[in-house]
Structures are given as structure tokens and as C-alpha cells.
Amino acid sequence: MGSLGRAIYTVGSWIRGTGQAIDRLGVTLQGSNYVPEQVSKHRTIMNVFQKEPMISKDAFVAPSAAVMGDVLIGRGSSVWYGVVLRGDVNSIRIGSGSNIQDNTLVHVAKFNLAGKVLPTIIGDNVTIGHGAVLHACTVEDEAFVGMGAILLDGAVVEKNAMVGAGSLVRQGTRIPSGEVWAGNPAKFLRKLTEEEIASIKESASIYTNLAQVHSTENAKTFDEIELEKLLRKKFENRDEDYDSMIGVVREVPPELVLPQNILPENKSSSKAVSL
């Protein structure tokens, strides 16, 4: 660091010290009304043991999610709010077009009772429902795991299979393709219909489109958000019948137009699978 660099560093230190002194003075003046402000140390993406998450540029990772260690997320996949992907002692692999919904926990195994070292593998176009727990298991392409389900070490959910909401899939259990398993412990319930199998893939596609909207919203600046607020306030009381009678045409600003592929009326023809 040269003389100029040292001088700039010193000035910076003075400014920071002055700011801290002003903050302490403000706290003193507030007295018993002082409310402490904690700085969040949350990191959405974090290295562990020199292992860095690899995330496709087309994937969406929510700001409140935590992706750490040896994690690979494929193109068009989405990791939603509150999700934890902890690839510290082994790897997590997520294919393309899959969605890991809010508050899901995905972890791996360095060792277990069977003496196996198991990663967690999630295939393409997979839907993992809210609040699920996946531990050292495999979920193959176009499978569906319901909300709050728990999959333990070595469990395998084959392609086009479904785990019912709140179910517990025990260690080493294999759920065959085209079947629904549910309960605690999970057992065979019935076969999936062709329509239900198609809806699993459609569910993944809907979430891929929805993730693009959330990604765009999270990337907006403060000024863009404020502008949208003004535009929405301007158009919220619009009466289309009245406008047509007086010959007024109001074009909705592009900032307020949702993509057609996520609008409810375009999804009404699909039948969701629920258990």
C-alpha cells in the first residue's frame, strides 16, 4: 500500500469511527426507548470445506434460502424461501426444471447404520412439496414428494412415483414407478392414473415459470418497486365499462402485466394431484 493508499485508508477509518460515535450518541439520547438493530449474517450461497455450490444461471434461489457446500442445481430449477440445502459431508444434485418448495430441508449422509455414504439426488422435473425433509435419498425424474413428507437414508422414489403429504419413507425403501405411497411408515396406496402422472410434469413446469417471476421481482431496485406502487394505485380503481362508454382507452403498463403462463385462468384446465 503506497502513501496515497495509506492516507485514504486512514480517512476511511476516521469516517467510520465518527459514524460509530454518532450512533453511540444517538443510543444515549434515546435512553430506554432504544431498540437494538441486529445485522443479519445470513448468506444464501456459502462454501463449506472448500466446496462451492454450482448453480445454473437459469435457476432461481430465493434470498432466504441457504445453499451450502457440494450442491449442484440444474437449469430452470427453483429453490424457494426458507429452503436449506446442506451439502457439507456429501453431495446434493438437483436436475433441470425441479422445484424445492418453501422450508424444505435437504441433507446428506457421511455414514449411517448400513455403513453407506449416501448423497441426495433429485432428478429432472421433480416437485418437492413445502416443508419436506430429504436425507441421503434419491428422487428420480418427474416424481412427486408431498408436503411435510420425510425420506430417510437410502430411500428411492422412482420416476413418476408419488409420496403422499406427511408420509415417512423408511430407510432403504424403494417406491416403484407409477405408484402412490402414503402413511407412517409409507405403504403402497394405489396406482397413479395417466392424468395424474401428466400433472406431475405440469406442476414442475408451472413452478419453473413462477420462479422466473419471483427472480425478476427480487432483482428489482427500490426505484422500480416505488414506480410499480404508483402505477398500481393509478389503475386499481379503473372501471372498464365506464371507460368504454366515454371512449377512453387505458393501456395497462407492461410493468403490471403478468406472464400468461402463470395466470390462474390458464391453469384452470389442469387438475392438481392432492393427497
Side-chain angles (χ1 to χ4, degrees):
M1 183 184 294
S3 299
L4 179 60
R6 284 196 296 271
I8 294 174
Y9 179 83
T10 301
V11 172
S13 298
W14 289 344
I15 293 173
R16 292 184 66 186
T18 302
Q20 292 169 0
I22 293 173
D23 181 67
R24 288 193 293 270
L25 175 61
V27 169
T28 302
L29 294 175
Q30 286 182 324
S32 60
N33 295 319
Y34 164 65
V35 178
E37 297 179 5
Q38 301 294 333
V39 177
S40 173
K41 296 182 180 181
H42 171 74
R43 285 189 286 169
T44 303
I45 312 297
M46 186 175 73
N47 294 7
V48 176
F49 303 138
Q50 299 181 343
K51 297 175 181 177
E52 178 182 2
M54 303 296 290
I55 302 172
S56 169
K57 64 180 181 179
D58 297 322
F60 167 65
V61 178
S64 60
V67 180
M68 59 196 82
D70 190 1
V71 178
L72 175 65
I73 301 175
R75 182 177 181 179
S77 288
S78 54
V79 178
W80 292 82
Y81 304 93
V83 168
V84 176
L85 305 179
R86 184 153 62 92
D88 45 10
V89 296
N90 212 319
S91 63
I92 296 172
R93 297 290 179 264
I94 300 173
S96 301
S98 294
N99 60 92
I100 316 299
Q101 296 176 15
D102 313 70
N103 296 321
T104 291
L105 168 64
V106 181
H107 194 220
V108 292
K110 185 176 182 179
F111 57 85
N112 55 25
L113 294 176
K116 295 182 179 180
V117 179
L118 296 171
T120 293
I121 301 172
I122 299 171
D124 300 335
N125 301 317
V126 171
T127 292
I128 306 295
H130 312 284
V133 177
L134 279 64
H135 196 274
C137 59
T138 297
V139 183
E140 296 182 354
D141 298 348
E142 298 174 20
F144 185 102
V145 177
M147 296 181 290
I150 300 174
L151 278 63
L152 298 180
D153 298 32
V156 177
V157 182
E158 293 185 358
K159 182 176 181 178
N160 294 330
M162 176 179 289
V163 178
S167 299
L168 172 64
V169 181
R170 293 185 297 185
Q171 293 183 353
T173 300
R174 176 175 287 271
I175 299 178
S177 177
E179 294 185 0
V180 182
W181 284 46
N184 183 0
K187 296 180 180 179
F188 172 74
L189 184 63
R190 61 178 174 84
K191 290 282 188 178
L192 283 166
T193 66
E194 292 297 324
E195 185 179 25
E196 288 172 334
I197 290 174
S199 73
I200 294 175
K201 188 173 182 179
E202 184 179 5
S203 170
S205 177
I206 290 171
Y207 260 89
T208 296
N209 295 329
L210 186 58
Q212 294 174 3
V213 177
H214 280 258
S215 180
T216 301
E217 288 294 324
N218 280 288
K220 287 180 179 176
T221 64
F222 175 79
D223 290 338
E224 289 173 329
I225 293 172
E226 290 301 306
L227 174 61
E228 281 197 15
K229 286 181 180 179
L230 292 174
L231 291 173
R232 292 187 188 282
K233 186 175 182 180
K234 178 180 178 181
F235 282 85
E236 66 182 354
N237 295 321
R238 184 181 57 165
D239 187 331
E240 294 182 359
D241 293 335
Y242 177 76
D243 288 349
S244 64
M245 284 192 300
I246 63 175
V248 174
V249 177
R250 303 175 195 250
E251 293 186 0
V252 178
E255 294 88 349
L256 302 185
V257 178
L258 288 173
Q260 290 298 315
N261 54 14
I262 68 160
L263 292 175
E265 56 265 26
N266 290 297
K267 296 186 293 182
S268 59
S269 60
S270 64
K271 297 182 179 179
V273 178
S274 59
L275 290 171

